[in-house]
Amino acid sequence: MTDTDASLLRIENLAVSFGTRSDRARAVDGIDLDVAPGEIVALVGESGSGKSLTARAVLGLLPDGARAEGSIVLAGTQVVGADERTLNRLRGGVAAMVFQEPQTALNPVQTIGRQLIEALRLRPGFDKATARDRAVELLRTVEIPDPERRLDWYPHQLSGGQKQRVVIALALSGRPRLIIADEPTTALDVTVQAGILDLLRRLRDETGTAILLITHNLGVVADLADRVVVLRDGNVVEEAGVAELFRTPQASYTKELLAAVPRLSTTDSREAGTPAEDRVVDLEGVSVVHPGRGRAPAFTALEGVSLQLRAGEVLGLVGESGSGKTTIGRVALAVTPPTSGTVRLLGRDPRTLRRAELRALRRDLALVPQDPAASLDPLWTIDDCVAEPLVVHGAGDRARIRRRVAELLDAVHLPAAAGRRRPGELSGGQRQRAALARALALSPRLVVADEPTSALDVSVQSRILELFTQLRAEFGFAALFISHDLAVVSEIADRVALLESGRIVETGPARTVFGSPAQDYTRTLVAAVPVPDPAIQRRRHSPSEKETP
Amino acid sequence: SSAVDQAKQASGAAGGTLVVGTLSDLTPSAIYSQSTTSMTIGRLLYDTLIRYDRATGTPQPAVAKSWTVSPDGRTVTLALRDDVKFHNGRPLTSEDVAYSLKTYASAAAASQLRPAAAAVTAVDTADPHVAVLHLAHPLVNLFDLLEFVLLTDRETPDQLKAGEQFIGTGPFKFAGWQRGQQVRLVRNDDYWNGAPKVEEVDLKVIPDETALLNSVRSGQTNVVVDASVQALTPFRGNDAYTVEPENIWDVNYYIGANVTDPALSHRAVRQAIAYAVDRERILHEVFGDTGSVNSAPWSPDSPAYNQELATRYTRDLTKARDLLTEAGGAPAQPLRLSYNTALAPAKSVAAIVQNNLADIGIKVELEPLDGAALTQTLNSGRSQLWINPHGFGQNSPATLATGAAPFKPEGNLSGYRSADYAALVERVWEQPDPDSAAAHAAYDAYTQLLSDEQFVINLVSTTVTNVYTGSVRGVDWNTYKYLILDKATVK
Amino acid sequence: MSELSHQLEPAAPPAPPGPAARDSWRSRHRFAASLTRGAGLAGVVLVAMVCLAGLFAPLLTSWDPVQQVAGSQLLPPGAGHLFGTDQLSRDIAARVFHGARTSLLVAVIAVPAGTVLGILIGLLATTRPLADLITQRVFDVVLAFPALILGVLLALVAGPGTPTVITVIVVTEAPIVGRLIRSQVLRVRELPFVESARVIGAPGGWVLRRHVLPNSLEPVAVHVALAFSGAIFAESAMSFLGIGVRPPAPSLGGVIADSLLYIEIRPWFAVAPLAVVVALSVGFYLIAQALGKAGRD
Amino acid sequence: MRRHLLTRIGSGVLVLLLASIVVFVALRLVPGDPARVIAGTDAAPDTIAAVRAQLGLDHSLVYQYWHWLGNVLRLDFGTSYVIGGPIGSLIGHGVANTLVLTVTAVVVAVALSLVASIAWVVRPRRWLDTVLGTLVTVSIAVPPFVSGVLLVLVFAVLLPVLPASGIPPEGYFASLDITAQYLVLPATCLALPVAAALTRFLSEALRREWRQPYVLTARALGTPARRILTRGALRNALPTFLTVLGLQTGALLSGAVLVEAIFAWPGLGQLLTQSVGARDYPVVQALVLLSVAVFVVIQIVTDLAHAFLDPRVRLEGRP
Ligand SMILES: Nc1ncnc2c1ncn2[C@@H]1O[C@H](COP(=O)(O)OP(=O)(O)OP(=O)(O)O)[C@@H](O)[C@H]1O
Ligand SMILES: Nc1ncnc2c1ncn2[C@@H]1O[C@H](COP(=O)(O)OP(=O)(O)OP(=O)(O)O)[C@@H](O)[C@H]1O
Ligand SMILES: [Mg+2]
Ligand SMILES: [Mg+2]
């Protein structure tokens, strides 16, 4: 497969740099890469390693201020330094791109039909009518149901998965020989993700299109790729066939990466926390209905949810996007009042509390947010962020607070110097630690962790999860751990609750639920999780076991 | 098809149209007073009973072909022409004369000549072509009145007020008014004094002075009346234009002083101010030497003009300071000097006066006000000093003494009031013969008092300046500066 | 409904909560840095030059700006009078430099005052729906009045003069800032870090003061830089109409207004004041531009 | 959507009512008495009283307001104190003239800003940035009363190729050529600052659009940049553009006051300044009300345009 003479794309010694001549920063620093026709090459590596820049360089779409050096030969044409005309001939026709965010990759004010037709009409030989026919055909290829009608729909009328399919259809419109897919499924649910990966595989098998796949999800890599290129800090650290890489990783970084990947553990025998008698969270038949606004109808986000959380216990909440996970978290933090049903937090009904009492109750509740970058005030120092709960609740004088902050930072393994920086000056992992420290400042009895690691790449994620487990042992709080990543939950939770459109469909000890799911929905979810093992994935795709999501 | 050429052609055609640019639009209700409205259309659409010969200041026949005044001065018999017709064809009769005089006597007409008109107690209209005026007392400014009163149609006063019809007996007929834009007048072919030469007169309203003058230069108008001296500089020495000051020196800039204000109640303070101001500089820098310095209200051609008093106050800082000392020093608080921002010269005069007064230690704060606010302030009695022009210095002194706001014996702007003054005004007014020695003695006494009291501190007598394109000839005006185009031609 | 005022400010795009928010920690530092190079620096230099000229006006010319020297009307530039003399025999250079002083003074008082007022009202609007309704309608009324007419009416009521000019600028400035801050607050209020402060039990006032307000100020800052050139313009327009700074005090607008009458015969009269007005406006604009760019990157 | 529209109209009416009170009260706070203006400086007190009574100014303020409002609701704006004649017809001419001028200015400004912005965004060259930026700034910085005077001086006086002032004498439709010649100078003068403001906002909005991922998608398909801008991005930037344009109405009317004076354009701006000067209350009230109404209507129209241009709003009632 690595026949260099037949390569469709050949990148040699590619460097991408930013900034002025005097002050240059190299983000990509000498990458070599080949893609042969019909081959699927995965580009992996941690965040910021230069994956996206490499991909964009191939189509001459580097952001303003970026400069490429080296050589990129795409179907025999040199891309580096090529003018816009040449590039436009290559773009779409020879190589096309599928971007990460289906929500924004389409023009919101044009129908998808129009966008497809416009793309098609850039190609010779298409008039309005033939372009329309071809657009329908393309939508059918990417398995959009009822394509004739959907042509006149606007992007916002489609689901995330459907939008991503339309983006792929756009990419296919020029019958490219190479599709560059930059994290095409990161924003999607596992079930949807499985469908998209299926589609890509089918494309390659049926049309022989080569795919350069960018991802940091090794499960996806194992699922799809023929060959893997591992990047770190703008350099290639390892390149190997997919089976080989997973079996015998050479570079230490690759090993680290593979080790950090959470696996859906179905045979885990971790001891459950020591359940005390008192219930920290007690939801009885809780429903949350968001009233309709304008023409939008009222929306039931939660329906008859009953849930108990004992002190010291970790309950994992899983489910697809929009299933109501965050809403439960907000109810448990007394932020969203239930429309019906009863809520008791630490034995008290927040609705009956006066303002001061509610604030006192909140001392014992804490939130670890999904995206600490957005959840820490960008203008505050980390010290101040961590100290804020202490100050708000008057927990002692200045000196005591300062000491407590230092202890907390130490507990989350942050250097004291980090305290004087602002959130933007920390790495994602460090920020997440700071958010943890802030949550723990008042020694809460309940921590709601809402997707606390979904913004991080795997290696960082595993370190945070480790820390979380360790801190729970130390502080003994109960936790509601929200995630859509079953693997993560299976590693950390004592019990899990599975949500589907606002209802709890299954609860139980983590290993029971994932090991032997009782419900179809759970089974679908579990099956859709790509396992970072090419062998298993290949087996799964054998026609007999193929699942249709 | 250039708009520029087109405009030039339209206004230059033989017989043609005379386009007159004017700063303000018509205000129909202001037709009875000396106002921008009457100054533009008064003598185009209407006639007066007599006409002053501006050179000699003697009345000449117009609609009244002759007149006699009874020896006691209380009966005036006017013989009217019998060929005068209104624009609607109705012949003018003595009834119309009676109606017009009555209108001018009414409060609503707001005429400056109202005291004179009100002195007409009755008009005998037995003969349609003879009007006999009965007066309450002899009127020294009788001919001022007869020159001033426009003969309007008594059947259409409401249409006149609404601006729908302007029916008179004048050389031009009203042919339309686009409010805010222009007024069209067409030649009255039946005019008793011979039809005018131009076929049409358009009045273009151009409220911005710069724009107004540019309209002459770009050929869109032929005549601009009342342009400020500074703005005229580019026209001077250019053969394509005629720059002509009207020889009616009745624009008298003065400093008004409110004598009821403690700071100005002392006569010496006012005299000090009169000595401190640099009239020569004002005349030169603000008015471009058009006119003359004048410390009395009369134009040089007025019967009341008195050379000695007109030059009594010239800049003399020593005298001014002595007078101030006599009055107990300069006012402790700065004095407010108000002026009308719409009058470009007033602004400059105020600045110079402020500067001049600083030389004798009188601090002055300028208070720029728009016309309406200035009038309000002046009438409120809360003003201190102000710069404004007054008119009526050109003909019979009685008109100014009785009708002009700064001078009226009752309720003048300065709040000056004394029995002597009232008596003097009365004396001036009731002179039967304006040219008699007695009359002159009365004028001098009156002027002497004004000169001593200085509640009106006169500065300069000047006039308005007109600009015509080279093709225009024969633009004229009457003693109240009402535009006359009876003989005007354009190319 | 669209947030009109939000789009009012080009230099402050609605920061996507993602990367932009992540980066705004450096805002202060970045803002300062943006003014030390390129266009930002040019703007600062232009404004500073005019400021210095105003500050040291007495040193730059020995003339008093209101002093009239009889007989030296409308002299051309030359020895004795750097830029010549005006129609009242006053030194144009002195009038321009002192006028710049007045204009800057107006801007320096009016813009911050309008900004603070706008911020207060804008904040008030976000507290209660009724307050919002009322303030928004009042803003509408003010914005719907052509500013010039507002100025004319105010000047007629209060009399012309510097305080009037300042009032007009404040009155027209406040609604814009108010709208801006309101839309920012409504946006920032929903950001995760504000919620996270509420979740720990921070009282409303604390959240508003410590989190919401500081994070809402960025577009206001950019707007304010533009408002300065707006103020310079407003002052000159009002003085041109005779409702601005009270004569004989010099102001840029006043000098320009005086000069226009002579533009043909004494063209140099207009040059100096126009140059200063343009320099100030361009300077403030460049600063706003640089700040806006810094806020975006 | 309909409810939204109704509340917008409701608040628009509220704004109009508030504005009418403000202008009514403000005018009466302004020193200067219309009766005195009409009667003239030399008038005696009884004359002025007579005029006041005639104008109905001797009634209480509340009565006057109520009376006026009642008439306005019947679309009777009263009679001008000064020029005489019903205000409706008086304003009619002015409206037409001002409309011709401002609409031309808007068209000029929009065209200028479109061309400049697209050029600016498609080719982000440093020098173009600087040149356009400076041009934009200078045209904001040079007040219309200066640019107007300069334009007249150059084009109408020194090289007289264009008329200095006024409107086409034969009407706008007699000869479009002549009409254009009369319009060039005032419309340019009025359009410049608006064009500058629009360019700033539009280029900013376009640049923002240019950074949107969907532009990258389109570029990755080989769509030429200009096509992306004109087909997609411009449309997305349009709501912002319209909003800014709507907000420029006030500026346009202010500008019209100055420009109409400089070019002797007999429009509402001139009428307004004259009426304020003469304390012609009914005219000023009518004009201010008219301009506020225009502003309100434009706001509502932009709102509707937003909804119309954005399918998310159009189809679902909210974005
Ligand atoms: N416009 C830009 N200006 C400056 N630096 C940039 C720019 N875009 C990317 N970089 C830097 O280039 C490096 C590589 O970026 P790239 O987007 O290729 O990372 P990535 O591997 O795709 O990461 P991720 O997994 O987070 O998408 C990063 O360090 C990033 O900070
Ligand atoms: N304020 C609101 N008004 C109307 N609907 C809402 C509101 N907040 C949330 N929803 C809806 O309620 C549902 C549940 O939302 P929730 O945020 O709990 O989902 P989630 O499971 O956390 O999803 P994700 O994994 O995407 O974060 C979603 O469909 C969401 O659109
Ligand atoms: Mg990337
Ligand atoms: Mg969620």
Side-chain angles (χ1 to χ4, degrees), chain D residues 76-267:
Chain D
D76 171 10
F77 290 93
T79 308
S80 161
Y81 292 169
V82 178
I83 310 184
I87 287 175
S89 68
L90 183 61
I91 288 183
H93 290 291
V95 167
N97 294 330
T98 299
L99 210 63
V100 168
L101 179 61
T102 45
V103 167
T104 313
V106 165
V107 170
V108 171
V110 167
L112 278 179
S113 64
L114 278 179
V115 171
S117 311
I118 290 182
W120 204 348
V121 174
V122 171
R123 307 227 180 288
R125 290 193 198 119
R126 228 163 228 288
W127 64 266
L128 194 66
D129 217 78
T130 317
V131 169
L132 278 176
T134 313
L135 270 183
V136 162
T137 321
V138 171
S139 38
I140 291 176
V142 174
F145 55 81
V146 175
S147 59
V149 168
L150 293 177
L151 284 173
V152 172
L153 195 66
V154 174
F155 293 101
V157 173
L158 295 184
L159 17 120
V161 288
L162 292 169
S165 56
I167 54 173
E170 313 284 330
Y172 295 112
F173 303 107
S175 152
L176 288 183
D177 181 25
I178 298 289
T179 302
Q181 293 183 39
Y182 274 88
L183 269 168
V184 169
L185 292 183
T188 309
C189 183
L190 188 55
L192 269 184
V194 179
L198 286 180
T199 306
R200 260 180 44 211
F201 284 96
L202 185 61
S203 61
E204 202 56 52
L206 281 183
R207 222 171 285 164
R208 194 151 61 218
E209 279 308 311
W210 192 247
R211 286 192 295 267
Q212 296 293 317
Y214 77 81
V215 170
L216 209 55
T217 308
R219 289 178 70 201
L221 290 168
T223 320
R226 199 175 300 273
R227 195 169 159 136
I228 298 178
L229 273 180
T230 48
R231 295 281 171 92
L234 196 58
R235 167 122 188 230
N236 287 339
L238 219 49
T240 313
F241 188 68
L242 285 179
T243 306
V244 176
L245 193 58
L247 287 175
Q248 289 289 316
T249 340
L252 265 173
L253 288 177
S254 289
V257 172
L258 291 169
V259 171
E260 288 181 3
I262 295 167
F263 294 95
W265 194 271

Side-chain angles (χ1 to χ4, degrees), chain C residues 60-63 69 75-85 90-94:
Chain C
L60 292 175
T61 164
S62 53
W63 295 99
V69 183
L75 294 180
H81 299 284
L82 189 55
F83 300 139
T85 57
R90 300 172 295 201
D91 184 58
I92 294 175

